[in-house]
Amino acid sequence: MTWEEIARAAAAHHLGVYAALHPEADPHLPQGTRTLLLLGPREPGYWPALTAGPEWRDGRPDPVDRWSLRVIGALAESFGARAVFPFGGPPFLPFVSWALASSWVQSSPVNLLVHGEAGLWVSFRGALALRERLALPPPPAPPCPACAGQPCRTACPVAALTPAGYDTAACKAFVTGPEGHACRTGGCQVRSACPAGQRHGRLAAQSAYHMTQFL
C-alpha cells in the first residue's frame, strides 16, 4: 500500500488528499496511528457526485456529512484504516491543527486555511488514520509568499476577514442584506479572490449551499 494508491482511490470519489502527516502519539487518533491523510472535495467533480448520491436525494438532514461517512468509511475499510471526521461533536477533532502541522496547508493573510492547489477553498470531509508509516511526498509550495497583491486582504465588502480575525456579525449582517446577493449565491468573495483557488473549479451551487448552512 502506498500514498499514491490511496490518493487514486480517493480521486475516484472526487476527493483529494490535501494534507498528510506522521502524527506523534496523538490522543485524538486511534492508538498506533502512524500516517494521517486528510481528505477534501476534489473539484469540480465532487459536488455533482455528492448531489447524485442517495444521501442528497432521501430528504433527510445532514446529507453532506452522511455522504462523507459512507464514502470515506468505505475507503478506510478497503485500506485497513480508521476513518475520522471533523463533524459529529462536540468535542470536535483538531483538523485545523493537523492540517497546519502537515505543512501542506498554511494560515493565509486573513487567517483562513490556504492550500497550494485548492487555495482558500480547501476544506476537509474526513481523514484516514493508518497504522502503516507511508512514504509521503513533499508538501506543495505555499501560495501566499508569491501571490502578487494578496487580493484576499481587500476582497471582503465589509472587511469582515482581516489579519486581526473574523467579524462574524458583520459578515452575516452583510450577507443577509440586499447587497449580499453575490455572497449568498456564489460564496465568500474572499475565498473566491484567491488566485491559487482559481484552478480548483468549485461550483457556485456548492458555495451557495454552504452559505445557506452558515446563515
Side-chain angles (χ1 to χ4, degrees), residues 70-83 128:
R70 174 175 63 85
V71 172
I72 297 176
L75 279 172
E77 184 175 356
S78 68
F79 287 103
R82 290 277 299 275
L128 302 181

Side-chain angles (χ1 to χ4, degrees), residues 1 8 16 42 54 71 97 102 117 127 147 160 179 206:
M1 177 174 53
R8 285 195 295 269
R42 192 168 187 257
V71 172
S97 297
S102 76
E117 296 178 6
C147 180
E179 296 180 345
Q206 180 185 353

Side-chain angles (χ1 to χ4, degrees), residues 36-63:
L36 185 66
L37 305 179
L38 276 64
L39 305 177
R42 192 168 187 257
E43 307 295 0
Y46 162 79
W47 194 244
L50 185 149
T51 54
E55 296 83 6
W56 188 265
R57 293 182 278 112
D58 64 16
R60 294 168 54 203
D62 304 317

Side-chain angles (χ1 to χ4, degrees), residues 131-203:
R131 298 182 67 87
E132 296 83 358
R133 184 180 176 89
L134 303 184
L136 299 175
C144 297
C147 180
Q150 297 187 338
C152 63
R153 292 178 178 269
T154 56
C156 180
V158 288
L161 281 162
T162 69
Y166 178 33
D167 188 338
T168 311
C171 175
K172 285 190 172 183
F174 179 81
V175 173
T176 55
E179 296 180 345
H181 176 77
C183 299
R184 289 195 303 274
T185 58
C188 174
Q189 294 188 49
V190 173
R191 296 184 190 273
S192 297
C194 177
Q198 303 306 311
R199 301 185 297 272
H200 194 49
R202 177 159 164 159
L203 298 177

Side-chain angles (χ1 to χ4, degrees), residues 37-119:
L37 305 179
L38 276 64
L39 305 177
R42 192 168 187 257
E43 307 295 0
Y46 162 79
W47 194 244
L50 185 149
T51 54
E55 296 83 6
W56 188 265
R57 293 182 278 112
D58 64 16
R60 294 168 54 203
D62 304 317
V64 180
D65 289 351
R66 290 188 291 114
W67 182 92
S68 303
L69 286 167
R70 174 175 63 85
V71 172
I72 297 176
L75 279 172
E77 184 175 356
S78 68
F79 287 103
R82 290 277 299 275
V84 294
F85 299 94
F87 49 84
F92 295 98
L93 294 177
F95 269 70
V96 171
S97 297
W98 290 334
L100 292 172
S102 76
S103 297
W104 288 40
V105 172
Q106 295 81 36
S107 181
S108 71
V110 291
N111 289 316
L112 296 173
L113 294 182
V114 64
H115 181 271
E117 296 178 6

